[in-house]
């Protein structure tokens, strides 16, 4: 490969027609001697490290048809009379330099110009009139500070019947997209107008651009629905519509875009369900629907798209339900973000099939159960965030074996010993706060020692049981005012007999339905109190055992255990053991037990 400076002696080759030194690592200034090449037609000096300004004489080489100085470090302005001094110019490539000033209006004289690429510079001012550019194929002015009304620009571009590439992104263009944008060239394959100040709606006429493969409108102020007609652009491969104010539901017609590779709809106000028709996009590599108001469950059709390999981001919505087991089809997926939703249930074991995952974020949901052992298979995982869920159990040892760079397990219900291997060695890479029953770990985490914690528990077992029994009694006393108040319809002689219910000194035979009816469907109006292991409701049971008074009712208290809470069943056993040896007028006998898991 050539390198060094451009030798000045090249200016002596006065019959030279073409000089191409692209991508040769050339540096220094463009030699002034090149202005002697009066027959030069094509000058290609792009992709080097050239500095300084362009010799003014180069703009007087009237035979020049192509001037490519892109991707250098050149600066300066374009002469205002360039449209007159280079009358044959067809290609103007100044991208990725440090040019400034405005594009000369004289450029509008070029009816034969085919390429104008001046992206990534410091150009300012109004966009030139392109009405006469009937031969224009590429117009690339991205990442400058051009101004103008997009409606006017788009309308003038309808005369450019050969237009193939249109990139106006990241400038200061304003206005709304006109219906006439649908009249642009049928050869147009890429249109990017993102990063401007556009407003209004996306016109449905855009469906006329049947050759479009890339559509970029992100980072504007576009509003209203995404037109259903976008599904007619069956050649689309990339759609950028993120960071706007788009509303309504996602169009079902997205499912017609079977060649689609990337769909970016991040940061809008989209609502409703994610259309299952996206499952037809069998070439999808990236799907970003984050930061919207999408609801409902995650369609399994999307999780079945094995083509998604770059990223699947559904975070910051209001999605519900479980993580579909079909997630295992995403074998090549690198980034999965389902955080900040309302997902619940257990993590599916099929996650173990996502062996290429590097980034897994599930924080701010209601996921539960133990951290599944299936995550052990994700050997390439670097960033794992399971924070602010309801995960329980101990921290699995395999997390210390993975090459994690960041691990967030904070605000769950984890317990037991914290590991000291792998990511757990780096206190800045792991977050465990909000888990009250963890111990051990590296010293800087300031967790209690596991050995002292467990020995203290054994030593103080009696001290713990005694207050616990007392607490059970206190709860019973507090709820006793509503536990069974007998109707004083018995004769005085019957009051001397052992207290029974409905005349039978044995447990009632009650069903879950009886208890549900007695408490009006466990209504909150009948809620007496709630504790860690369950809730107590007041209710009334009709005489179902055939007493003399068929209309007699008995007021009862019904305690419903939450068996999802560890220790709930043992709490009932402890309560019974504490109460069976106590006799008090405000404490009544247990009348019945109903054992069931559903209605």
């Amino acid at each position: 490969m050539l390198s060094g400076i451009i030798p000045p002696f090249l200016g002596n080759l006065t019959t030279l027609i073409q000089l191409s030194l692209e991508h040769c690592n050339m540096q220094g200034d463009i030699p002034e001697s090149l202005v002697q090449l009066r027959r030069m037609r094509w000058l290609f000096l792009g992709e080097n490290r050239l500095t300084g300004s362009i010799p003014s004489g180069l703009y007087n080489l009237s035979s020049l048809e192509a001037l490519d100085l892109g991707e250098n470090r050149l600066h300066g302005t374009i002469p205002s009379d360039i449209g007159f001094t280079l009358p044959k110019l067809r290609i103007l490539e100044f991208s990725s330099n440090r040019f400034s000033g405005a594009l000369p209006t004289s450029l509008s004289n070029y009816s034969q110009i085919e390429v104008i690429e001046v992206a990534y510079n410091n150009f300012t001012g109004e966009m030139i009139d392109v009405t006469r550019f009937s031969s224009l194929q590429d117009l690339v002015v991205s990442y400058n500070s051009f101004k103008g009304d997009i409606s006017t620009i788009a309308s003038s571009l309808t005369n450019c019947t050969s237009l193939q590439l249109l990139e106006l992104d990241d400038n200061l263009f304003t206005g709304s997209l006109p219906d006439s944008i649908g009249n642009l060239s049928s050869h147009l394959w890429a249109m990017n107008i993102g990063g401007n100040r556009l407003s209004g709606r996306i016109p449905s006429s855009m469906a006329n651009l049947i050759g479009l493969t890339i559509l970029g409108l992100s980072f504007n102020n576009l509003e209203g629905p995404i037109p259903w007609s976008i599904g007619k652009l069956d050649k689309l491969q990339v759609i950028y519509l993120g960071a706007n104010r788009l509303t309504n539901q996602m169009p079902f017609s997205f499912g017609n875009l079977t060649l689609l590779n990337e769909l970016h709809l991040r940061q809008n106000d989209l609502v409703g369900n994610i259309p299952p028709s996206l499952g037809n996009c069998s070439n999808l590599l990236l799907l970003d629907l984050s930061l919207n108001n999408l609801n409902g469950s995650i369609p399994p059709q999307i999780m079945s798209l094995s083509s998604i390999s770059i990223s699947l981001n559904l975070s910051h919505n209001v999605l519900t339900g479980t993580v579909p087991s079909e997630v295992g089809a995403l074998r090549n997926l690198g980034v999965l973000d389902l955080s900040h939703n309302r997902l619940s249930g257990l993590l599916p074991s099929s996650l173990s099939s996502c062996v290429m995952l590097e980034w897994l974020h599930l924080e701010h949901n209601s996921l539960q159960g133990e951290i599944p052992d299936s995550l052990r298979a994700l050997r390439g995982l670097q960033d794992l965030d399971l924070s602010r869920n309801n995960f329980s159990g101990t921290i699995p040892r395999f997390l210390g074996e993975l090459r994690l760079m960041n691990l967030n397990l904070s605000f769950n219900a984890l317990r037991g010993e914290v590991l000291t291997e792998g990511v757990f060695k780096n206190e800045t890479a792991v977050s465990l706060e909000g888990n009250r029953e963890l111990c051990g770990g590296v010293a800087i985490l300031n967790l209690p020692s596991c050995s002292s914690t467990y020995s203290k528990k054994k030593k103080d077992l009696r001290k713990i049981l005694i207050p616990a029994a007392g607490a059970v009694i206190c709860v019973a006393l507090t709820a006793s005012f509503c536990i069974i108040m007998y109707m004083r319809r018995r004769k005085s002689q019957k009051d001397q007999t052992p207290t029974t219910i409905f005349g039978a000194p044995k447990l009632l035979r009650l069903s879950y339905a009886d208890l549900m009816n007695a408490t009006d469907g466990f209504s909150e109006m009948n809620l007496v109190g709630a504790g860690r292991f369950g809730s107590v409701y007041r209710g009334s049971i009709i005489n179902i055992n055939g007493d003399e008074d068929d209309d007699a009712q008995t007021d009862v208290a019904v305690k419903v255990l939450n068996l999802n809470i560890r220790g709930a069943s043992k709490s009932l056993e402890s309560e019974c053991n504490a109460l069976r040896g106590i006799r008090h007028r405000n404490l009544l006998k247990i009348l019945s037990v109903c054992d069931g898991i559903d209605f």
Side-chain angles (χ1 to χ4, degrees):
M1 178 183 293
L2 297 175
S3 62
I5 64 171
I6 298 176
F9 72 80
L10 290 177
N12 297 327
L13 306 177
T14 55
T15 59
L16 199 63
I17 294 177
Q18 177 174 333
L19 175 60
S20 179
L21 295 174
E22 291 180 291
H23 196 63
C24 288
N25 201 30
M26 308 301 289
Q27 53 191 341
D29 294 347
I30 298 175
E32 188 75 29
S33 61
L34 295 186
V35 304
Q36 303 174 46
L37 305 177
R38 295 295 179 182
R39 297 185 181 182
M40 181 70 65
R41 296 173 60 185
W42 298 288
L43 179 60
F44 299 101
L45 303 178
E47 298 182 64
N48 285 290
R49 293 189 293 168
L50 300 175
T51 57
S53 59
I54 300 174
S56 58
L58 283 183
Y59 292 111
N60 293 322
L61 299 180
S62 57
S63 60
L64 265 183
E65 297 180 22
L67 179 58
D68 183 354
L69 304 176
E71 296 189 46
N72 282 288
R73 302 171 186 176
L74 301 170
H75 62 82
T77 60
I78 300 177
S80 59
D81 59 350
I82 186 175
F84 304 105
T85 59
L86 298 179
K88 297 181 180 180
L89 195 64
R90 292 188 293 113
I91 297 175
L92 178 64
E93 165 60 291
F94 279 9
S95 293
S96 300
N97 278 286
R98 301 169 185 175
F99 293 110
S100 57
L103 284 184
T105 56
S106 63
L107 282 174
S108 301
N109 295 328
Y110 287 125
S111 59
Q112 79 283 2
I113 197 160
E114 300 174 1
V115 175
I116 297 179
E117 295 192 6
V118 294
Y120 294 94
N121 280 287
N122 299 312
F123 288 113
T124 58
E126 293 286 327
M127 185 62 190
I128 60 173
D129 183 12
V130 296
T131 305
R132 298 182 59 188
F133 292 175
S134 57
S135 300
L136 188 65
Q137 298 178 16
D138 297 354
L139 178 60
V140 181
V141 300
S142 309
Y143 291 91
N144 284 286
S145 297
F146 290 117
K147 299 178 181 179
D149 187 292
I150 194 64
S151 179
T152 302
I153 296 171
S155 296
S156 62
L157 283 170
T158 57
N159 295 323
C160 305
T161 56
S162 299
L163 190 63
Q164 299 179 21
L165 176 62
L166 177 61
E167 296 193 358
L168 309 177
D169 48 305
D170 288 273
N171 280 283
L172 303 175
F173 297 122
T174 57
S176 57
L177 295 170
D179 287 335
S180 61
I181 202 167
N183 297 329
L184 293 180
S185 167
S186 59
H187 302 290
L188 187 64
W189 64 270
M191 179 172 68
N192 194 346
I193 318 179
N196 282 287
R197 301 174 181 178
L198 308 186
S199 57
R201 299 191 170 205
I202 301 174
S204 58
S205 62
M206 197 167 286
N208 296 333
L209 305 178
I210 56 175
L212 212 57
T213 62
I214 299 175
L215 172 62
L217 297 173
S218 294
F219 294 97
N220 281 292
N221 294 310
L222 299 174
E223 57 190 14
I226 301 172
W228 179 90
S229 59
I230 201 171
K232 295 181 179 180
L233 301 176
D234 55 7
K235 294 182 180 179
L236 272 177
Q237 297 179 24
V238 179
I239 298 178
Y240 295 101
L241 296 178
N244 279 288
R245 299 175 182 175
L246 300 174
T247 56
N248 294 34
Q249 294 185 327
M250 294 173 57
F252 191 86
S253 61
F254 272 141
N256 298 334
L257 307 179
T258 56
L259 298 180
L260 198 61
N261 296 146
E262 299 182 21
L263 178 57
H264 300 260
L265 299 178
R266 173 186 178 89
Q267 199 175 341
N268 280 288
D269 294 315
L270 300 172
V271 298
N273 296 337
I274 300 173
S277 61
L278 282 177
N280 297 332
C281 302
S282 56
N283 290 291
L284 203 60
L285 302 175
L286 182 150
L287 177 61
D288 190 347
L289 307 180
S290 61
L291 292 161
N292 281 285
N293 293 306
L294 300 170
N295 54 39
S297 58
I298 300 174
Q301 293 89 341
I302 291 179
M303 290 298 191
S304 299
L305 280 174
S306 59
S307 60
I308 301 181
S309 57
I310 299 176
S311 174
L312 174 59
N313 191 343
L314 307 180
S315 67
H316 293 271
N317 283 287
V318 285
L319 299 172
T320 55
T322 60
V323 178
S325 60
E326 287 81 1
V327 69
L330 305 175
R331 299 179 181 274
N332 298 311
L333 184 62
V335 174
L336 177 60
D337 192 346
L338 305 179
S339 64
H340 293 267
N341 279 288
R342 299 176 184 176
L343 302 174
S344 57
L346 305 176
L347 283 181
S349 59
S350 56
L351 261 175
S352 61
S353 298
C354 303
V355 292
M356 300 301 291
L357 264 184
E358 297 181 358
W359 213 79
L360 176 60
H361 275 230
L362 301 171
E363 69 269 20
H364 283 267
N365 280 289
S366 298
L367 300 168
Q368 60 192 48
E370 296 187 351
I371 298 175
D373 190 66
S374 56
L375 297 184
R376 180 192 303 270
L378 309 183
R379 309 306 297 181
L381 201 60
Q382 298 180 21
D383 197 316
L384 175 62
D385 195 335
L386 304 179
S387 63
R388 297 187 183 275
N389 280 284
N390 298 317
F391 288 110
S392 57
T394 58
I395 298 176
R397 303 204 68 84
F398 70 80
L399 289 180
E401 302 170 1
L402 299 178
R403 297 181 179 180
L404 290 168
M405 304 297 293
N406 292 287
L407 174 64
N408 193 345
L409 302 177
S410 59
F411 296 99
N412 281 286
L414 300 171
R415 56 180 172 80
E417 184 175 6
V418 175
L419 309 176
T420 56
E421 300 85 20
V423 68
F424 295 94
K425 293 179 181 179
N426 185 355
E427 71 279 359
T428 62
V430 64
S431 179
L432 301 171
E433 61 179 324
N435 293 281
R436 300 181 179 179
E437 298 186 34
L438 292 177
C439 62
V442 294
I444 199 169
L445 294 176
N446 295 318
L447 294 174
S449 171
C450 292
S451 57
S452 62
T453 301
Y454 295 143
S455 62
K456 184 177 180 181
K457 283 185 178 181
K458 294 179 181 179
K459 183 177 181 180
D460 296 339
L461 184 59
R462 294 182 181 180
K463 294 182 180 180
I464 295 174
L465 289 178
I466 293 174
V472 171
I473 295 174
C474 290
V475 172
L477 289 172
T478 302
S480 63
F481 74 93
C482 65
I483 297 181
I484 303 179
M485 299 178 182
Y486 287 101
M487 305 296 291
R488 295 187 178 181
R489 299 181 181 182
R490 303 291 186 183
K491 295 181 180 180
S492 59
Q493 62 271 24
K494 288 187 178 181
D495 292 338
Q496 306 301 320
T497 61
T499 303
T500 61
I501 186 79
F502 307 146
K506 59 182 181 179
L507 293 181
L508 289 177
R509 297 179 61 82
L510 297 176
S511 68
Y512 178 85
D514 295 330
L515 299 179
M516 190 169 185
N517 293 331
T519 58
D520 193 19
F522 300 106
S523 168
E524 289 189 5
M525 297 294 294
N526 291 329
L527 182 64
V528 177
R532 180 182 179 188
F533 299 117
S535 305
V536 178
Y537 300 85
R538 66 167 59 91
S540 297
I541 296 180
I542 300 176
N543 182 353
I544 61 174
N545 280 359
D547 273 6
E548 296 174 359
D549 189 351
D550 289 339
D551 295 326
Q553 293 186 349
T554 297
D555 293 334
V556 297
V558 180
K559 182 169 185 178
V560 180
L561 293 178
N562 184 357
L563 296 180
N564 288 325
I565 303 300
R566 185 180 181 88
S569 59
K570 289 187 178 180
S571 74
L572 175 63
E573 181 180 347
S574 300
E575 197 171 324
C576 293
N577 289 333
L579 294 175
R580 68 180 181 178
I582 299 175
R583 296 292 182 268
H584 193 277
R585 64 181 180 179
N586 289 334
L587 289 178
L588 300 176
K589 295 180 180 180
I590 295 178
L591 304 179
S592 184
V593 174
C594 179
D595 184 6
I597 59 174
D598 53 38
F599 187 86

